[in-house]
Amino acid sequence: MSEPRPSDRHDASDPDDTFEEIVDEATQRDPDLAVIEAGSRTLRTQSGPARAEAVPDRPADPETDRALRVVEQELAGRWGETKLEPSVTRIAALMDVLGEPQRAYPSIHITGTNGKTSTARMIEALLNAFELRTGRYTSPHVQSITERISLDGAPIDAERFIETYDDIKPYVEMVDVQQPYRLSFFEVLTGMAYAAFADAPVDVAVVEVGMGGTWDATNVIDGSVAVVTPISLDHTDRLGTTPAEIAAEKSGVIKQGATVILSQQPVDAAQVMLKKAVEVDATVAREGMEFGVVSREVAVGGQLLTLRGLGGEYDNIFLPLYGAHQAHNAAVALAAVEAFFGIGAEQARSLDVEAVRKAFLAVLSPGRLEVVRSSPTVVLDAAHNPAGARAAAEGVSEAFSFSRLIGVVGASDDKDVRGLLEAFEPIFAEVVVTQNSSSRAMDADALAAVAVEVFGNERVQVEPRLDDALEAAITLAEEEAEYAGAGVLVTGSVITVGEARLLLGRH
């Protein structure tokens, strides 16, 4: 088995350097995809040891499970997350008939291309460490639809999910008949989240956009803090073909008088965000200027960080996630929570460093460079665009000493699959191309044709079934004694990762 490398290396960052030199461009890997369902066939392999998870099982009670499936089927009968009519008219109408539940609590609103979900989880953990009751809304889910709505750091239980749906269903149907288009899958879930948070009640909501910003269904809140994770090219058919065009759409989450936490961005995207902040009299804190990563050290099971926040420096922070991009997500999350508490503007103090350390130590981010099996090591990462793939490739190379790495790739048809494969080509000895169960999955043979152009024919194997692809990759990793340190990386789509996670026994 190949283990993460011990704390024997430091990155090139020097605390005395300017932050512009310290901060590497971070990337995200949170895709905006649809619901997944588990594959039915069980792998003939042994999964790694169980640990605490942020991903719930199906309900143990048969009646509850049946009721949840009914809700899932009704939601699936609506427009999916990839079919959009860009407007907040329908969700605003739903909020109106529900009594504006999203106004019952302050919120932190997160947009960007990559890193949104991981950053949201970190923000949530920090707020919980300071004894605030939180609601978190993220998308898509890895395995269970209930992951999308969390209370106090845990996915909402199935019974409460069903009750919330049943409570708002009459109002959803009322809005449906009044609008040219019915509320979509994502709009109904957004309404459920806002209603559940008000009912809890929560002290603060941490809300991740589904796609874009201005017309995203989540954008009926007025976040006192707007977080913008790294922007890169994705969903170009809907958001724009340049970082600046995409930033213009995403800048819609910046509200009057808010504080903007801006991660390291392409210059043209940063200019758009800064211009919008000026227009609405928002305060801006920039990664690399007002906050950032001072130093990071690779450690067993994650990394050791020193972060510079809005209120000072925080050292000896252990983050149990891999990759430089996660360190930058942590810096953004810390600054967002400081801004929420008024630190850096109204107050000069720092947060309690012990509480910050405790919060980051507890962070989980399923499907993001997540180790799910040993002998050989199998790692999952939901990278779905070139920027996310580059971050994943760098993270794997840094954290693991694989003698040989086999890739399993299943991607969506509307993604830049060539760019994704090119990002992984330097680290994959061989690649097994496959497809997941989604209707949007790229055909395995079509994906293989692109892979052959990138890797060459001898390095590409085609297995249309994901379970067969996983077995093939594990076999390749184990086939020769000299490759005892070989590993497998499953990637390309959150759906592929979610289904692989189930097949490998991670519930």
Side-chain angles (χ1 to χ4, degrees):
M1 172 183 174
S2 178
E3 295 288 352
R5 297 172 183 169
S7 306
D8 59 359
R9 269 196 303 155
H10 297 261
D11 70 352
S13 300
D14 185 328
D16 295 326
D17 289 342
T18 63
F19 269 97
E20 289 88 344
E21 296 170 331
I22 292 172
V23 181
D24 295 323
E25 181 177 349
T27 54
Q28 86 135 22
R29 28 182 170 289
D30 289 293
D32 301 290
L33 299 175
V35 190
I36 68 164
E37 189 61 46
S40 59
R41 184 176 167 190
T42 301
L43 266 185
R44 295 184 300 275
T45 54
Q46 185 177 4
S47 61
R51 62 176 176 82
E53 298 289 357
V55 178
D57 283 329
R58 296 294 309 184
D61 177 62
E63 289 299 322
T64 303
D65 188 54
R66 277 192 288 270
L68 180 59
R69 290 186 186 279
V70 169
V71 174
E72 290 170 330
Q73 289 169 1
E74 290 187 12
L75 289 169
R78 294 179 173 274
W79 274 5
E81 289 167 289
T82 60
K83 186 173 182 180
L84 304 168
E85 194 280 314
S87 166
V88 293
T89 301
R90 291 174 302 283
I91 188 67
L94 180 60
M95 293 297 99
D96 182 56
V97 296
L98 289 175
E100 303 289 345
Q102 81 282 14
R103 310 288 182 202
Y105 38 80
S107 55
I108 298 174
H109 206 177
I110 307 169
T111 191
T113 304
N114 295 305
K116 296 189 296 295
T117 297
S118 293
T119 302
R121 286 180 174 276
M122 294 178 195
I123 291 172
E124 173 188 53
L126 285 163
L127 293 168
N128 289 158
F130 289 98
E131 300 183 351
L132 290 183
R133 188 163 203 206
T134 56
R136 173 173 52 82
Y137 181 51
T138 54
S139 61
H141 56 268
V142 177
Q143 288 177 203
S144 171
I145 194 171
T146 60
E147 294 168 40
R148 295 178 179 235
I149 303 173
S150 289
L151 295 173
D152 295 328
I156 189 172
D157 61 51
E159 291 84 359
R160 194 164 191 169
F161 186 90
I162 295 162
E163 289 170 5
T164 303
Y165 177 77
D166 289 342
D167 285 346
I168 76 164
K169 183 178 178 180
Y171 301 96
V172 168
E173 293 172 344
M174 184 186 307
V175 173
D176 281 344
V177 298
Q178 295 172 347
Q179 299 293 326
Y181 304 100
R182 296 171 71 216
L183 287 153
S184 69
F185 168 89
F186 186 73
E187 287 169 332
V188 175
L189 274 174
T190 302
M192 289 174 61
Y194 290 162
F197 297 162
D199 185 60
V202 302
D203 298 314
V204 55
V206 182
V207 178
E208 172 192 336
V209 303
M211 187 186 299
T214 299
W215 44 256
D216 186 75
T218 63
N219 203 31
V220 288
I221 58 172
D222 291 321
S224 60
V225 178
V227 176
V228 186
T229 66
I231 291 173
S232 60
L233 298 183
D234 198 11
H235 301 292
T236 53
D237 56 330
R238 299 180 179 91
L239 302 180
T241 57
T242 67
E245 290 176 350
I246 294 172
E249 170 56 37
K250 292 180 181 292
S251 69
V253 304
I254 302 174
K255 304 299 171 59
Q256 187 72 34
T259 300
V260 183
I261 305 301
L262 191 62
S263 70
Q264 196 81 357
Q265 301 289 347
V267 173
D268 56 347
Q271 289 173 337
V272 170
M273 290 291 174
L274 293 171
K275 181 181 178 182
K276 177 59 181 287
V278 170
E279 291 173 355
V280 297
D281 196 27
T283 302
V284 179
R286 300 154 294 175
E287 183 183 12
M289 299 293 287
E290 287 75 29
F291 70 93
V293 179
V294 175
S295 66
R296 54 182 297 269
E297 179 180 334
V298 178
V300 174
Q303 51 194 308
L304 192 66
L305 308 176
T306 296
L307 302 178
R308 186 176 195 178
L310 304 179
E313 198 164 286
Y314 302 80
D315 62 0
N316 293 318
I317 295 171
F318 181 76
L319 180 67
L321 301 175
Y322 301 115
H325 58 284
Q326 294 289 19
H328 294 291
N329 289 340
V332 169
L334 178 61
V337 173
E338 287 182 308
F340 181 78
F341 286 124
I343 294 173
E346 301 169 14
Q347 305 176 49
R349 67 181 178 86
S350 298
L351 295 175
D352 179 73
V353 68
E354 288 302 325
V356 170
R357 289 169 183 157
K358 180 180 178 181
F360 279 118
L361 183 62
V363 169
L364 293 172
S365 195
R368 279 77 178 175
L369 289 182
E370 179 188 20
V371 178
V372 294
R373 185 191 190 275
S374 58
S375 300
T377 299
V378 178
V379 182
L380 307 180
D381 193 273
H384 70 289
N385 58 34
R390 287 191 292 271
E394 291 169 6
V396 167
S397 299
E398 176 184 74
F400 299 89
S401 53
F402 291 127
S403 58
R404 185 183 188 216
L405 184 61
I406 310 299
V408 176
V409 179
S412 295
D413 202 28
D414 59 347
K415 298 298 181 181
D416 179 3
V417 294
R418 178 179 295 277
L420 182 141
L421 291 170
E422 287 175 346
F424 285 121
E425 190 277 332
I427 69 166
F428 285 166
E430 297 178 65
V431 61
V432 181
V433 297
T434 187
Q435 63 192 73
N436 57 56
S437 65
S438 168
S439 60
R440 295 176 56 240
M442 188 172 190
D443 177 77
D445 289 332
L447 181 57
V450 180
V452 166
E453 294 177 3
V454 174
F455 289 85
N457 189 64
E458 293 184 355
R459 294 168 65 193
V460 178
Q461 182 172 332
V462 185
E463 294 290 350
R465 290 177 59 110
L466 179 57
D467 48 2
D468 291 336
L470 292 170
E471 288 196 77
I474 289 169
T475 299
L476 286 169
E478 292 177 327
E479 66 182 3
E480 295 183 38
E482 67 180 289
Y483 294 133
V488 175
L489 175 62
V490 184
T491 188
S493 162
V494 72
I495 301 174
T496 301
V497 163
E499 293 179 350
R501 204 173 186 276
L502 282 166
L503 288 166
L504 289 163
R506 302 311 293 259
H507 302 298

